[in-house]
Amino acid sequence: MIALDLGDLPPQTARRIPLTTWFRFRRAVEHTSTVLLAVERQSIAGSCSSLLIKLDLKNKYVQAIVRAIRAFNFHPPTRNC
C-alpha cells in the first residue's frame, strides 16, 4: 500500500497536482498488487480514481473510526527512492 495523505492541505493547494500526475500514479500500480490510497478533503484525483469513498465526519461510526485510527498513532516506515 502506498498512502498519500493530503488531508491537511487546503483543497486549493491539493488541486495543484495535475490530472496527468494522478494518471501516472494510477498506471504505476495498475498491474500490481499495490494499492494507492489518497486521503483528501475533497475529491481531487477525479476521473482517474477507481473508487471514491466519502466519509461524513458527522456520522458517529465514522467519528469512532477516526478516533481509533488516531489512537493507533500509525507511522509507516519511509523509504528513500
Side-chain angles (χ1 to χ4, degrees), residues 15-59:
R15 275 193 213 98
R16 291 182 185 164
I17 300 171
L19 190 56
T20 55
T21 301
W22 290 110
F23 279 105
R24 282 188 204 120
F25 288 157
R26 182 177 175 171
R27 277 195 308 269
V29 299
E30 74 183 346
H31 295 295
T32 69
S33 61
T34 303
V35 172
L36 174 62
L37 173 67
V39 178
E40 310 156 346
R41 289 184 187 183
Q42 295 178 352
S43 177
I44 307 265
S47 61
C48 118
S49 300
S50 295
L51 176 66
L52 174 66
I53 301 172
K54 185 174 182 179
L55 300 177
D56 180 5
L57 289 178
K58 296 175 188 161
N59 182 300

Side-chain angles (χ1 to χ4, degrees), residues 77-81:
T78 57
R79 283 190 333 195
N80 293 330
C81 296

